[in-house]
mmCIF file of all heavy atoms in Angstrom:
data_model
loop_
_atom_site.group_PDB
_atom_site.id
_atom_site.type_symbol
_atom_site.label_atom_id
_atom_site.label_comp_id
_atom_site.label_asym_id
_atom_site.label_seq_id
_atom_site.Cartn_x
_atom_site.Cartn_y
_atom_site.Cartn_z
ATOM 1 N N GLY B 25 -45.080 -40.037 -19.424
ATOM 2 C CA GLY B 25 -44.169 -39.780 -20.542
ATOM 3 C C GLY B 25 -42.895 -40.581 -20.366
ATOM 4 O O GLY B 25 -42.883 -41.752 -20.061
ATOM 5 N N ARG B 27 -40.531 -39.971 -18.188
ATOM 6 C CA ARG B 27 -39.919 -39.861 -16.854
ATOM 7 C C ARG B 27 -39.858 -41.221 -16.153
ATOM 8 O O ARG B 27 -40.625 -42.110 -16.461
ATOM 9 C CB ARG B 27 -40.684 -38.875 -15.993
ATOM 10 C CG ARG B 27 -40.596 -37.466 -16.538
ATOM 11 C CD ARG B 27 -41.166 -36.489 -15.525
ATOM 12 N NE ARG B 27 -41.894 -35.417 -16.224
ATOM 13 C CZ ARG B 27 -42.803 -34.650 -15.680
ATOM 14 N NH1 ARG B 27 -43.119 -34.816 -14.396
ATOM 15 N NH2 ARG B 27 -43.423 -33.709 -16.366
ATOM 16 N N MET B 66 -43.048 -47.101 2.825
ATOM 17 C CA MET B 66 -43.833 -47.944 3.729
ATOM 18 C C MET B 66 -43.042 -48.417 4.924
ATOM 19 O O MET B 66 -43.572 -48.720 5.991
ATOM 20 C CB MET B 66 -44.411 -49.137 2.974
ATOM 21 C CG MET B 66 -45.385 -48.786 1.850
ATOM 22 S SD MET B 66 -46.388 -50.178 1.272
ATOM 23 C CE MET B 66 -45.123 -51.354 0.796
ATOM 24 N N ALA B 112 -42.859 -58.834 -1.198
ATOM 25 C CA ALA B 112 -41.897 -59.715 -0.519
ATOM 26 C C ALA B 112 -42.511 -61.130 -0.495
ATOM 27 O O ALA B 112 -42.323 -61.883 -1.441
ATOM 28 C CB ALA B 112 -41.600 -59.183 0.875
ATOM 29 N N VAL B 127 -67.547 -73.762 -0.832
ATOM 30 C CA VAL B 127 -66.539 -74.650 -1.445
ATOM 31 C C VAL B 127 -66.643 -76.061 -0.896
ATOM 32 O O VAL B 127 -66.572 -77.053 -1.650
ATOM 33 C CB VAL B 127 -65.137 -74.063 -1.249
ATOM 34 C CG1 VAL B 127 -64.059 -75.055 -1.679
ATOM 35 C CG2 VAL B 127 -64.979 -72.760 -2.049
ATOM 36 N N PRO B 146 -57.157 -68.938 11.350
ATOM 37 C CA PRO B 146 -57.358 -68.500 9.991
ATOM 38 C C PRO B 146 -56.471 -69.341 9.030
ATOM 39 O O PRO B 146 -55.264 -69.129 8.975
ATOM 40 C CB PRO B 146 -56.953 -67.022 9.982
ATOM 41 C CG PRO B 146 -56.178 -66.817 11.230
ATOM 42 C CD PRO B 146 -56.468 -67.952 12.169
ATOM 43 N N TYR B 149 -52.126 -70.014 3.242
ATOM 44 C CA TYR B 149 -50.995 -70.667 2.577
ATOM 45 C C TYR B 149 -50.221 -69.596 1.836
ATOM 46 O O TYR B 149 -50.680 -68.479 1.621
ATOM 47 C CB TYR B 149 -51.491 -71.757 1.582
ATOM 48 C CG TYR B 149 -52.205 -71.193 0.392
ATOM 49 C CD1 TYR B 149 -51.572 -71.079 -0.857
ATOM 50 C CD2 TYR B 149 -53.503 -70.691 0.540
ATOM 51 C CE1 TYR B 149 -52.216 -70.530 -1.945
ATOM 52 C CE2 TYR B 149 -54.151 -70.125 -0.539
ATOM 53 C CZ TYR B 149 -53.515 -70.053 -1.783
ATOM 54 O OH TYR B 149 -54.149 -69.445 -2.842
ATOM 55 N N GLU B 189 -60.815 -60.533 -3.593
ATOM 56 C CA GLU B 189 -60.245 -60.501 -2.231
ATOM 57 C C GLU B 189 -59.772 -59.102 -1.876
ATOM 58 O O GLU B 189 -59.689 -58.222 -2.740
ATOM 59 C CB GLU B 189 -59.057 -61.441 -2.136
ATOM 60 C CG GLU B 189 -59.377 -62.868 -2.631
ATOM 61 C CD GLU B 189 -58.306 -63.880 -2.238
ATOM 62 O OE1 GLU B 189 -57.465 -63.568 -1.353
ATOM 63 O OE2 GLU B 189 -58.346 -64.990 -2.787
ATOM 64 N N VAL B 247 -53.406 -57.139 -8.502
ATOM 65 C CA VAL B 247 -53.714 -56.201 -7.376
ATOM 66 C C VAL B 247 -54.006 -54.843 -7.967
ATOM 67 O O VAL B 247 -53.572 -54.483 -9.045
ATOM 68 C CB VAL B 247 -52.543 -56.075 -6.349
ATOM 69 C CG1 VAL B 247 -52.277 -57.405 -5.656
ATOM 70 C CG2 VAL B 247 -51.290 -55.533 -6.994
ATOM 71 N N SER B 248 -54.820 -54.080 -7.234
ATOM 72 C CA SER B 248 -55.161 -52.710 -7.665
ATOM 73 C C SER B 248 -53.883 -51.858 -7.693
ATOM 74 O O SER B 248 -52.913 -52.111 -6.977
ATOM 75 C CB SER B 248 -56.157 -52.100 -6.712
ATOM 76 O OG SER B 248 -55.707 -52.103 -5.393
ATOM 77 N N PRO B 269 -66.477 -71.358 18.370
ATOM 78 C CA PRO B 269 -65.905 -71.322 19.716
ATOM 79 C C PRO B 269 -64.963 -70.147 19.909
ATOM 80 O O PRO B 269 -64.464 -69.583 18.945
ATOM 81 C CB PRO B 269 -65.137 -72.666 19.805
ATOM 82 C CG PRO B 269 -64.791 -72.968 18.393
ATOM 83 C CD PRO B 269 -65.947 -72.480 17.583
ATOM 84 N N HIS B 280 -62.880 -56.269 18.327
ATOM 85 C CA HIS B 280 -62.814 -57.273 17.258
ATOM 86 C C HIS B 280 -63.420 -56.626 16.028
ATOM 87 O O HIS B 280 -64.644 -56.611 15.862
ATOM 88 C CB HIS B 280 -63.580 -58.507 17.737
ATOM 89 C CG HIS B 280 -63.702 -59.622 16.745
ATOM 90 N ND1 HIS B 280 -62.617 -60.196 16.151
ATOM 91 C CD2 HIS B 280 -64.810 -60.233 16.234
ATOM 92 C CE1 HIS B 280 -63.066 -61.169 15.333
ATOM 93 N NE2 HIS B 280 -64.358 -61.192 15.369
ATOM 94 N N ALA B 387 -63.258 -44.693 -2.408
ATOM 95 C CA ALA B 387 -63.167 -45.788 -3.380
ATOM 96 C C ALA B 387 -61.769 -46.404 -3.298
ATOM 97 O O ALA B 387 -60.783 -45.736 -3.043
ATOM 98 C CB ALA B 387 -63.418 -45.270 -4.781
#
Side-chain angles (χ1 to χ4, degrees):
Chain B
R27 294 189 218 160
M66 296 196 303
V127 170
Y149 68 103
E189 308 194 13
V247 297
S248 57
H280 176 57

